[in-house]
Amino acid sequence: MNYEKATLMEMPKAFGLSKAGLVYYFPFKPNLFVVIVDKYVFHSQQLDKVSNLQ
């Protein structure tokens, strides 16, 4: 899915949410983008650091 072309009405299917649920929690696309980046980029980097310490 291309970020620029994606609409908030197309995204719920990709995330397994209803349209109302997605819009309730993420009324603007940039809010959703920040959460995705935080979860999949920063958290995965932190997990890699922890696993390398063990």
Side-chain angles (χ1 to χ4, degrees):
M1 183 183 317
N2 183 314
Y3 176 80
E4 293 296 324
K5 294 180 182 179
T7 67
L8 283 177
M9 295 301 121
E10 295 172 325
M11 292 182 190
K13 188 185 300 182
F15 299 109
L17 296 172
S18 69
K19 288 179 186 178
L22 186 71
V23 173
Y24 177 80
Y25 290 106
F26 306 102
F28 304 102
K29 194 164 48 168
N31 300 54
L32 179 59
F33 180 75
V34 169
V35 170
I36 292 169
V37 169
D38 181 60
K39 181 172 182 169
Y40 292 101
V41 175
F42 296 119
H43 281 74
S44 65
Q45 289 176 355
Q46 290 173 350
L47 290 173
D48 288 343
K49 288 178 184 177
V50 169
S51 66
N52 287 336
L53 294 174
Q54 295 176 350

